[in-house]
């Protein structure tokens, strides 16, 4: 069960195509994150491409994060179609416009600004801050609290493509973030699947 109000490991749902969680990494505090294994089992390993990615213990609600800084981004192996994302993170107000997971090939992904603004007014379908659900329209920049987002990625293209990145988006800069977890699905989850 995915909860917008808190942390739960998701039950297996058909269509989960990538799952990155910082607590799956066996690193010491402050270590560089050069590769991040896809916990979905689909082999979309994320490899550092630029900038700085650092493992930080006890960062979000007692859980570790991978901190993206200095135009930090990594690239996911293989092809996928990320129709929907669930994200647990904080925004430290650094970087510029970017995506938690975005495509370098056709601008799929969900573009947000470091201060919490959404591109073209496309707000997430669900947001909570420190475990409390918020009402639209959401503004969640410049905060010290953790956020859980339910994001729809849509640009009209529904085919699997390569070139997906964490922290970056085609034609834009990079988003500084402290990422605890992100899961992508190849379809919008139904209420029963959530």
């Amino acid at each position: 069960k995915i909860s917008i109000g808190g942390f739960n490991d998701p039950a297996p749902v058909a269509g989960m195509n990538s799952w990155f969680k910082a607590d799956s990494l066996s690193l010491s505090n402050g270590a560089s994150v050069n590769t991040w294994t896809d916990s979905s089992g689909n082999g979309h390993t994320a490899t550092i491409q630029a900038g700085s990615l650092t493992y930080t213990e006890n960062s979000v609600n007692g859980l570790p994060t991978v901190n993206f800084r200095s135009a930090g981004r990594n690239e996911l192996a293989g092809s996928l179609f990320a129709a929907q994302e669930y994200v647990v993170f904080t925004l430290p107000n650094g970087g510029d416009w970017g995506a938690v997971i975005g495509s370098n090939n056709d601008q799929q992904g969900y573009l947000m600004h470091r201060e919490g603004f959404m591109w073209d007014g496309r707000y997430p379908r669900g947001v909570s801050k420190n475990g409390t659900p918020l009402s639209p329209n959401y503004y969640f920049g410049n905060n010290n609290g953790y956020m859980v987002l339910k994001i729809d990625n849509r640009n009209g293209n529904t085919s699997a493509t390569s070139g997906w990145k964490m922290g970056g988006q085609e034609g834009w800069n990079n988003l500084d973030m402290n990422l605890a977890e992100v899961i992508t699905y190849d379809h919008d989850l139904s209420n029963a699947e959530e």
Side-chain angles (χ1 to χ4, degrees), residues 39-53:
S39 293
S40 76
N42 292 319
H44 298 296
T45 300
T47 304
I48 190 167
Q49 190 178 47
S52 171
L53 280 70

Side-chain angles (χ1 to χ4, degrees), residues 65-94:
T65 59
V66 173
N67 297 349
F68 289 67
R69 298 292 188 279
S70 303
R73 65 181 182 277
N74 55 25
E75 185 159 3
L76 280 58
S79 296
L80 62 93
F81 170 63
Q84 196 167 66
E85 297 175 28
Y86 289 79
V87 182
V88 182
F89 74 152
T90 62
L91 288 176
N93 196 25

Side-chain angles (χ1 to χ4, degrees), residues 114-151:
R114 65 182 180 157
E115 294 178 354
F117 301 110
M118 307 294 109
W119 181 256
D120 204 23
R122 293 180 52 222
Y123 290 91
R125 284 212 282 168
V127 175
S128 75
K129 179 178 178 181
N130 296 327
T132 302
L134 303 179
S135 299
N137 286 329
Y138 312 108
Y139 173 77
F140 49 86
N142 299 325
N143 74 78
N144 294 321
Y146 73 87
M147 308 300 293
V148 180
L149 307 183
K150 177 180 176 181
I151 296 172

Side-chain angles (χ1 to χ4, degrees), residues 103-187:
S103 173
N104 197 45
N105 292 328
D106 57 8
Q107 293 191 339
Q108 293 186 65
Y110 193 84
L111 198 58
M112 66 182 73
H113 191 265
R114 65 182 180 157
E115 294 178 354
F117 301 110
M118 307 294 109
W119 181 256
D120 204 23
R122 293 180 52 222
Y123 290 91
R125 284 212 282 168
V127 175
S128 75
K129 179 178 178 181
N130 296 327
T132 302
L134 303 179
S135 299
N137 286 329
Y138 312 108
Y139 173 77
F140 49 86
N142 299 325
N143 74 78
N144 294 321
Y146 73 87
M147 308 300 293
V148 180
L149 307 183
K150 177 180 176 181
I151 296 172
D152 292 327
N153 293 324
R154 288 289 185 269
N155 74 344
N157 183 354
T158 59
S159 61
T161 60
S162 61
W164 288 85
K165 300 183 184 328
M166 265 190 262
Q169 173 75 31
E170 179 187 13
W172 297 93
N173 292 319
N174 299 282
L175 183 69
D176 282 3
M177 60 183 166
N178 304 328
L179 183 60
E181 184 171 12
V182 59
I183 305 169
T184 65
Y185 294 90
D186 65 6
H187 66 285

